[in-house]
Amino acid sequence: FQFRSTSIMPSRKHKANHARSSWTGEVSADGHNMDNMNSIPEDLEVHSTSSNVGHSLPNPDEVERPERSKRTWLLWVAICLFVIAATAIGVELGLQSGNENPRRIHNAGTARDSASDQKRRIRLQRYLVNNEVNTNEEFEDPDSPQSLALDFLALIDEQQLNAPSGDLRSRDGYRLLTRYIMTLFYYQMDGPNWNFDLLFLSDFDTCYWFSLFEPPVGQLGVICNENTNEITGFSFISDNISGELPKELAHLTTLSYIESIGNEVSGTIPDEFERLSNLRTMVFAWNSMSGTIPSWIGNLSRLEFLYLSSNLFTGAVPNQVEKLTNLKVLAFNDNLLNSGINPVWKLPKLEYLFLEDNQFTGQLPQNLGNVASQLINFDVSSNRMVGPLPSDLFELSSLEIVDLHGNAFTGMIPETAITEPSAIKFIALHKNELSEQIPPSLARLEALTHLDLSSNNLIGQIPDLGAMPDLKYLFLGNNNFQEGPIPNYIFTFRQLKELSLKRTQRTGNISPLFGSLDKLVVLDLDNNKLTGSLPTELGTMTDLQFALLNRNFLDSTLPLELSNLSDLRLALFNSNNITGDFSPICALPGLAVAVNDCEETTCDCCQLCCSDNEDCHQYTEIASHDPSWESSYQRTFFDFSTFQRFGVRDVNKQNN
């Protein structure tokens, strides 16, 4: 055995801090994808991975790999026994030390060059050509992936396969076909430079060309059915595979699962893949693929999970997508697509829809429940969508995530007449053109943990939302509400971590009750009409990292208790009438940015010293989440300005 400690993360990060989870379905307890696998070969590698590994895709109940057995624990017992045996008789098992990789020794050797081997090569080439896998022209270049794969099979491979007498459907024909195509895949996708060779080009049967990683990653490489020895899938995560996908993969019509995450796969989806009629899962996420989404994809009628996230695809969502009536998860997010999205409303089983960060246009259906009643996660943020929101948006019984921010939606926020407990946990409608008042019925969404309505044209009074006991993030800033005090119900949100009431026309005092919000990390009361003194109770908010109290009419001496805010990183107190010595705050170890007024205070650590009625800095943005589903809707950074971001390392400590 050879054990390696490694961290598998996307090599091409489109967004920060990818949260990753394992595929499931009929999943084994340890997360390994080992169902219907042959016995573990003696030289099988098991890789140790760090705690941040996994898929950069949705949660475990969203995706499943090909068939799994219930015997995974037995396989792991076998692995442990192999480890013990390898430790006891390392010489006999060929235990390797240092960086040497024993699986590549046979590849470094001299190729066989006997007359019989050369004849075998000729016969193998003729067989592949006669069965229309390749043409003779594709073998003319000795350095082509086809030629290299053929050379391996005929001149290097210890299995020494011969050209079968039967066609590709025969047992021997299929065995040759799979070994040839996966060898071709290795050469065409720059196999010598993979992070993990996954036993490719080893002497084992092709079904054993895989490696196991600690959960939640599981098995990477070739996936086979134990009973039939048919290849049913392959998986490559952050393995540095690069190049255009071989069209020859389309001959593996038994494939039901293909996955590449965090690699450098380029080019288009080969048209030949239309033949893969058994596909249930197609994942090409965080790669460099381009071109358009092919219209023939609608012919893959068994597809349940389709991920083309974070690539360079352009053009429209083809109308033929509506034929994928078994589709449960559709992810076209983070591309350059620029059409309407009407075809997705013809998918009756759709549960997860991720279309964010494109250039999609058009309107949403007014009765979403009639066309997408099974939706759990709905994200079309950062597009060019217009028109009103669906009238029943908050009444879908399964809906948990609603992220529509960064569009041009207009009209009212929908009322909800829901009487049963709602499943909605996350609502992000910021950066739209929504108007009218916040409907008080939002308070019925008692499971909410995140509500962001900032940067719209909302008016009227801020309604009572106090029936949300689990609310952690509340952003209402940059709206046109009527003047009024900070709502008292906010102090019932004992789980609250971030609050922004920036430019919401708040008046009156800052309540001492803020001291009860002991989990608050962000307090943003910037650009209001608050008066009075700073309560000493603010000093009890020891988790506070960002205090934006600037541009108000506060009139007091700086409380000494603020020196207790040991985690404080940003302190904006300018454009007030706050007097006193800032030195105790300057002594805080994590303070990165401090801004105050020149005339009223002494502040040796202030980066900027402002004069009254002067905008002297750019810390005017709302640090609302701009989350992505890849990050499990977690905060990825704090951003209060156009020129500085605060990382998440401290907030991770906070969340733990």
Side-chain angles (χ1 to χ4, degrees):
F1 281 74
Q2 181 186 32
F3 289 85
R4 282 186 269 184
S5 178
T6 180
S7 173
I8 301 182
M9 290 298 290
S11 57
R12 176 177 175 266
K13 292 185 179 179
H14 185 86
K15 293 186 178 180
N17 192 30
H18 299 297
R20 309 176 70 185
S21 60
S22 65
W23 302 118
T24 62
E26 300 176 4
V27 188
S28 56
D30 59 9
H32 286 298
N33 163 35
M34 299 177 58
D35 171 40
N36 291 331
M37 296 307 306
N38 297 337
S39 305
I40 299 179
E42 292 183 358
D43 294 339
L44 179 66
E45 287 187 344
V46 180
H47 300 273
S48 174
T49 57
S50 66
S51 60
N52 62 350
V53 299
H55 293 268
S56 307
L57 293 171
N59 292 323
D61 57 349
E62 300 172 23
V63 188
E64 56 187 274
R65 286 192 172 185
E67 309 166 328
R68 288 174 166 73
S69 72
K70 300 178 181 178
R71 296 175 294 168
T72 300
W73 67 274
L74 291 175
L75 295 176
W76 277 107
V77 170
I79 291 172
C80 294
L81 293 175
F82 281 130
V83 172
I84 295 171
T87 303
I89 53 172
V91 174
E92 286 78 4
L93 292 181
L95 184 67
Q96 301 296 317
S97 61
N99 294 322
E100 183 181 6
N101 188 340
R103 299 183 301 175
R104 291 202 180 279
I105 291 176
H106 67 89
N107 291 336
T110 303
R112 300 184 299 270
D113 196 24
S114 67
S116 62
D117 291 321
Q118 291 297 335
K119 289 180 180 178
R120 180 187 300 110
R121 188 188 190 283
I122 294 172
R123 290 194 295 270
L124 290 175
Q125 177 175 335
R126 183 183 302 122
Y127 181 85
L128 293 170
V129 171
N130 289 343
N131 284 276
E132 299 181 343
V133 178
N134 288 111
T135 64
N136 281 317
E137 289 73 19
E138 289 172 310
F139 293 107
E140 289 179 354
D141 180 359
D143 294 322
S144 71
Q146 291 82 4
S147 291
L148 293 174
L150 186 59
D151 287 343
F152 172 79
L153 263 61
L155 309 177
I156 300 175
D157 189 8
E158 293 299 325
Q159 295 215 0
Q160 300 187 35
L161 299 180
N162 290 303
S165 57
D167 61 17
L168 297 177
R169 293 170 295 181
S170 67
R171 179 174 180 177
D172 290 340
Y174 185 80
R175 183 184 179 198
L176 173 65
L177 176 70
T178 55
R179 198 164 186 83
Y180 169 72
I181 289 179
M182 297 317 297
T183 302
L184 169 61
F185 183 92
Y186 176 85
Y187 285 116
Q188 184 153 329
M189 307 308 290
D190 196 23
N193 290 312
W194 291 357
N195 294 329
F196 307 97
D197 54 33
L198 308 177
L199 285 172
F200 272 60
L201 307 195
S202 68
D203 298 337
F204 299 129
D205 185 84
T206 311
C207 279
Y208 297 122
W209 287 5
F210 67 87
S211 291
L212 298 179
F213 294 81
E214 288 183 351
V217 176
Q219 179 178 327
L220 300 182
V222 175
I223 303 169
C224 283
N225 182 295
E226 179 187 52
N227 298 321
T228 64
N229 272 344
E230 293 176 339
I231 293 182
T232 55
F234 59 78
S235 175
F236 298 89
I237 301 177
S238 297
D239 201 19
N240 198 38
I241 71 171
S242 62
E244 298 187 6
L245 293 168
K247 68 182 188 312
E248 289 86 350
L249 286 171
H251 288 277
L252 301 180
T253 55
T254 54
L255 285 173
S256 65
Y257 184 101
I258 55 179
E259 172 185 59
S260 168
I261 300 175
N263 292 295
E264 288 295 334
V265 178
S266 58
T268 61
I269 302 174
D271 286 337
E272 289 81 1
F273 279 22
E274 183 178 2
R275 296 186 226 161
L276 300 177
S277 58
N278 287 309
L279 270 185
R280 294 177 58 208
T281 297
M282 178 189 289
V283 180
F284 295 111
W286 288 283
N287 286 278
S288 300
M289 301 189 73
S290 58
T292 59
I293 298 173
S295 59
W296 53 257
I297 206 165
N299 296 330
L300 303 180
S301 59
R302 297 186 181 182
L303 268 183
E304 297 180 25
F305 311 103
L306 176 58
Y307 298 86
L308 302 179
S309 312
S310 298
N311 283 285
L312 302 170
F313 289 111
T314 57
V317 175
N319 290 330
Q320 289 80 356
V321 164
E322 67 184 39
K323 296 163 62 178
L324 301 176
T325 54
N326 288 308
L327 205 63
K328 296 178 181 179
V329 183
L330 176 62
F332 288 164
N333 57 286
D334 296 282
N335 281 287
L336 303 171
L337 302 169
N338 59 2
S339 65
I341 60 173
N342 287 339
V344 307
W345 307 124
K346 304 288 182 66
L347 305 175
K349 298 182 180 180
L350 193 64
E351 297 177 355
Y352 296 84
L353 178 60
F354 304 112
L355 300 178
E356 71 269 21
D357 297 310
N358 281 284
Q359 301 171 34
F360 289 126
T361 58
Q363 299 189 18
L364 298 178
Q366 273 308 287
N367 293 298
L368 195 60
N370 292 341
V371 295
S373 61
Q374 306 300 314
L375 270 184
I376 296 173
N377 195 321
F378 179 30
D379 191 342
V380 293
S381 59
S382 298
N383 281 288
R384 299 178 180 178
M385 307 291 291
V386 298
L389 300 179
S391 59
D392 60 348
L393 180 60
F394 303 133
E395 298 181 0
L396 275 66
S397 60
S398 300
L399 193 61
E400 297 180 3
I401 305 290
V402 179
D403 192 350
L404 309 181
H405 84 269
N407 284 283
F409 291 117
T410 55
M412 300 175 58
I413 296 174
E415 293 270 2
T416 176
I418 193 168
T419 56
E420 298 296 325
S422 170
I424 297 180
K425 300 176 182 178
F426 184 105
I427 296 176
L429 302 178
H430 56 289
K431 297 181 181 176
N432 278 288
E433 299 174 15
L434 300 171
S435 57
E436 303 301 326
Q437 301 186 41
I438 298 175
S441 61
L442 282 188
R444 297 176 182 171
L445 307 178
E446 297 182 1
L448 267 183
T449 63
H450 180 114
L451 178 61
D452 191 345
L453 307 179
S454 57
S455 299
N456 280 286
N457 300 315
L458 300 173
I459 59 173
Q461 295 288 346
I462 298 177
D464 187 345
L465 302 174
M468 301 176 183
D470 297 322
L471 196 66
K472 296 180 180 180
Y473 306 97
L474 178 60
F475 306 101
L476 302 178
N478 282 348
N479 280 293
N480 301 316
F481 299 119
Q482 292 179 11
E483 288 188 2
I486 297 172
N488 281 331
Y489 66 79
I490 285 177
F491 306 117
T492 67
F493 298 150
R494 295 305 174 88
Q495 305 301 317
L496 201 62
K497 291 186 176 183
E498 300 182 28
L499 171 66
S500 177
L501 298 176
K502 183 192 296 287
R503 202 181 70 77
T504 56
Q505 294 67 244
R506 297 305 90 200
T507 59
N509 298 332
I510 297 178
S511 172
L513 293 175
F514 269 106
S516 66
L517 301 179
D518 56 358
K519 296 182 180 180
L520 206 63
V521 174
V522 174
L523 175 59
D524 184 359
L525 303 177
D526 170 33
N527 200 6
N528 282 290
K529 300 178 181 180
L530 297 171
T531 57
S533 60
L534 292 175
T536 58
E537 287 80 0
L538 293 180
T540 66
M541 303 167 62
T542 53
D543 286 345
L544 192 66
Q545 299 182 36
F546 304 95
L548 292 83
L549 307 181
N550 52 312
R551 295 191 293 182
N552 281 287
F553 298 98
L554 300 172
D555 187 358
S556 73
T557 301
L558 196 69
L560 181 61
E561 288 79 1
L562 296 186
S563 61
N564 296 328
L565 304 180
S566 58
D567 286 341
L568 196 64
R569 303 167 68 187
L570 179 141
L572 304 181
F573 293 92
N574 61 284
S575 300
N576 284 291
N577 189 29
I578 298 174
T579 60
D581 186 0
F582 219 75
S583 298
I585 294 179
C586 288
L588 295 173
L591 191 66
V593 175
V595 182
N596 213 332
D597 293 330
C598 305
E599 294 86 355
E600 288 90 5
T601 59
T602 301
C603 183
D604 295 333
C605 66
C606 286
Q607 282 78 6
L608 293 170
C609 184
C610 303
S611 300
D612 287 341
N613 301 317
E614 175 190 20
D615 289 332
C616 65
H617 60 80
Q618 299 182 34
Y619 290 94
T620 58
E621 296 183 359
I622 295 176
S624 58
H625 283 243
D626 191 6
S628 59
W629 63 273
E630 307 95 290
S631 304
S632 296
Y633 289 95
Q634 298 299 311
R635 162 78 74 181
T636 55
F637 55 83
F638 293 94
D639 188 346
F640 302 92
S641 71
T642 57
F643 60 89
Q644 182 169 359
R645 288 186 178 186
F646 294 85
V648 297
R649 60 187 183 280
D650 290 330
V651 81
N652 287 336
K653 171 177 75 67
Q654 176 74 30
N655 288 338
N656 291 334

